[in-house]
Amino acid sequence: MFQDFTDKASPEQGPPRLKLLRDAMQAGQLDGWLVPRADVHQGEYVAPGDERLAWLTGFTGSAGFAAVTHTQAGVFVDGRYRTQVRVQTDPNAYQPIDWPEVKLADWLRKALPVGCKLGFDPWLHTQKEITDLKAALEGSGVTPVPHANLIDGIWADRPAPPTGAITAYPDALAGKTGAEKRAELAETLREAGHRAAILTLPDSIAWLLNIRGADIPRNPVPHAFAILHDDARVELYVHPAKLASLPDHCTTDGVTAHQTDSFSAALTLLLNPVRVDPASIPVAIVTALEEADITPAFAADPCILPKACKTEAEIAATREAHLRDGAALCEFLTWFDAQPPGTITEIDVVTRLEEARRATGKLLDISFDTIAGSGPNGALAHYRVSETSNRTLSAGDLLVLDGGGQYLDGTTDITRTLPVVEVGEDERAAFTRVLQGMIAISRLRFPKGLAGRDIDSIARYPLWLADQDYAHGTGHGVGVYLCVHEGPQRISRASDVALKPGMIVSNEPGYYREGHFGIRIENLVVVQSAPPLPGSDPADSAEGRLAFETLNFVPIDRRLIQRAMLAQPEVDWLNAYHAECRTKITPRLSPSAADWLAQATAQI
């Protein structure tokens, strides 16, 4: 099994570890300390030795941070984790803070008096983050101060950094060679007048060099740093053990590998100006450049946008990955529907689904820990089942099942909400509203230049009519055998990045009633140019429109739909989608699963 079910939270360790941190703060003459979830590469998922937030507080969510003073300790989390943080932290030691509604600077102004020093590790915070924090604290008398990491000094059994093997990624699946990518980005640097760009994001480096890594579970990326020069050369800084099985790929054709510990010294030898992304570059790197009289040119990581706009080869590959994954999920659903209520648990569900994906013979990892939340556990948007939380599925439960696979040709992610026999009318009405929002995004045509924030509300509109909503974005970007959460594109109120052809995003509205049930329906979609419609305005046709192509083909449970709530175009979309599921998936199924699929996709 890729997934394990041990309870990773240890809230009872929070108070003694908090005392150790406060002792270290006193020794360092600091009045406050910031504990981010991030590592030096700003990854969402981090290695065991970088789980500082979880080690200190017990909170294991994939987003959040803590701010600690000598009298208060706040754990800042968004709407996905507000129930989870209360379960996983000791309320006598830590106070959950609703972020971003409560700003860190506002909290610090109240928690720290004038003249206080707020310590932070400059390798774990980005330039933008600290610049914005300093601006927000102006006039407060609270001064952010870079300092050696205090958690590392008190974490006695901290795991060593990972040394996972780096492997080559096939050029045929990537659609471009690493040399072609480096040449294109070098031209971008020259046009901007930048002599080099510093890359710290693992997925940017993996994409640029057509390599993959094994340093982080669920994400096939290597921990490394890289410098891209304006002549297309790349200096890669990585632990040599990672290259043991790939000695030539990263040491020829304009790519030179170096020991990681030589990276800091190399920064001081660069020519002006050097491009760094303020949203991902650690403060420590900017400081090193400035101390060497090298001018940082603040601009986006040059890999970010080209990586997000997939090549035709990447899109073709990921289509195949989703068809394979969809067939595996249909085999699982055939088994699931045959299980009587009260006979299987959430862990059984996760285990059986992973077995179905493994049976394809192509699964390299799961793309994230599978979410299988039944009943009240389904109301936790990012629920992770453990031996402690495991529930038996009972009649009347809803099950939120969200998972995906890492295949060489693509990264998958799909959510289906499933009934255990009959559920209540309230649940069916909410499910139908979520479905309406999902269909609205699926059918959408929109002008070029619109960002995720411009269309996020379209998915929420049916829920808003019932005074319902969900506390997460409608969609996140997804890589191709890379990270399941990929920027810069999102369907979110917070996203101002224009959607472009080739971008893959999730389409996943939901609804969560704390203590009762959760609902989410998710497909991945890829942005495509939309052909003109008959009778469209000539000016609009000339400007062009975009639309979404759906990648996942797994039935949406018809038993949860209130048919009378759907308009005819919504019914037509659902019937057409289910017909496409039958056409694309049936040839890949066992006879029993093919029979199940035929029934599950009958017209409504």
Side-chain angles (χ1 to χ4, degrees), residues 269-454:
L269 303 177
L270 296 175
L271 300 176
N272 277 318
V274 175
R275 180 169 180 154
V276 292
D277 188 338
S280 59
I281 201 77
V283 171
I285 292 178
V286 176
T287 301
L289 294 174
E290 292 174 339
E291 289 178 349
D293 292 326
I294 298 170
T295 304
F298 294 113
D301 177 333
C303 301
I304 289 288
L305 194 56
K307 172 168 57 67
C309 298
K310 314 304 180 204
T311 65
E312 285 301 322
E314 288 176 309
I315 294 172
T318 204
R319 287 189 187 112
E320 173 60 25
H322 280 81
L323 292 176
R324 180 189 311 118
D325 194 73
L329 194 51
C330 286
E331 295 284 358
F332 161 82
L333 291 171
T334 303
W335 169 85
F336 178 84
D337 273 359
Q339 307 310 304
T343 63
I344 60 172
T345 68
E346 294 167 339
I347 288 179
D348 294 330
V349 166
V350 173
T351 301
R352 185 70 181 218
L353 179 54
E354 184 172 320
E355 289 173 355
R357 287 189 163 112
R358 281 182 177 273
T360 65
K362 300 288 187 179
L363 185 71
L364 300 176
D365 198 346
I366 51 177
S367 54
F368 56 96
D369 281 352
T370 301
I371 298 166
S374 64
N377 288 343
L380 305 173
H382 278 203
Y383 170 70
R384 174 189 173 275
V385 59
S386 68
E387 292 163 351
T388 303
S389 68
N390 189 29
R391 286 184 82 249
T392 297
L393 276 59
S394 302
D397 279 347
L398 281 177
L399 174 71
V400 177
L401 182 61
D402 184 355
Q406 290 284 11
Y407 305 94
L408 188 65
D409 49 3
T411 300
T412 69
D413 183 4
I414 184 170
T415 307
R416 290 295 182 263
T417 300
L418 309 172
V420 182
V421 196
E422 291 290 330
V423 301
E425 289 304 303
D426 209 18
E427 288 91 330
R428 293 180 67 231
F431 179 90
T432 307
R433 295 184 191 105
V434 172
L435 174 61
Q436 287 176 305
M438 185 261 201
I439 292 174
I441 294 295
S442 302
R443 298 179 59 219
L444 189 64
R445 294 169 58 95
F446 56 98
K448 292 179 179 178
L450 291 193
R453 68 183 179 192
D454 301 315

Side-chain angles (χ1 to χ4, degrees), residues 478-530:
V478 180
V480 175
Y481 192 46
L482 278 173
C483 300
V484 74
H485 289 168
E486 178 183 88
Q489 74 277 18
R490 289 185 292 165
I491 302 178
S492 163
R493 303 175 212 189
S495 178
D496 59 0
V497 175
L499 295 169
K500 296 180 180 294
M503 289 181 169
I504 297 174
V505 292
S506 64
N507 170 16
E508 51 178 312
Y511 176 67
Y512 311 91
R513 185 169 294 174
E514 185 174 347
H516 295 278
F517 63 86
I519 297 164
R520 185 161 65 251
I521 310 171
E522 175 190 18
N523 280 340
L524 299 192
V525 295
V526 58
V527 182
Q528 301 278 24
S529 295

Side-chain angles (χ1 to χ4, degrees), residues 446-461:
F446 56 98
K448 292 179 179 178
L450 291 193
R453 68 183 179 192
D454 301 315
I455 64 174
D456 177 81
S457 60
I458 292 172
R460 300 176 189 272
Y461 176 68

Side-chain angles (χ1 to χ4, degrees), residues 142-161:
V142 177
T143 304
V145 178
H147 195 281
N149 197 289
L150 297 184
I151 299 291
D152 296 356
I154 60 176
W155 188 350
D157 57 349
R158 183 179 169 225

Side-chain angles (χ1 to χ4, degrees), residues 453-475:
R453 68 183 179 192
D454 301 315
I455 64 174
D456 177 81
S457 60
I458 292 172
R460 300 176 189 272
Y461 176 68
L463 287 161
W464 285 352
L465 290 177
D467 286 342
Q468 296 175 342
D469 204 350
Y470 48 97
H472 56 74
T474 298

Side-chain angles (χ1 to χ4, degrees), residues 209-249:
L209 300 181
N210 280 356
I211 59 175
R212 296 298 187 264
D215 285 333
I216 303 295
R218 319 295 177 247
N219 295 274
V221 296
H223 275 175
F225 297 108
I227 299 173
L228 169 66
H229 297 274
D230 63 354
D231 61 1
R233 289 181 299 112
V234 165
E235 308 286 342
L236 178 67
Y237 297 86
V238 63
H239 194 293
K242 300 180 185 184
L243 297 174
S245 60
L246 198 67
D248 297 328
H249 189 84

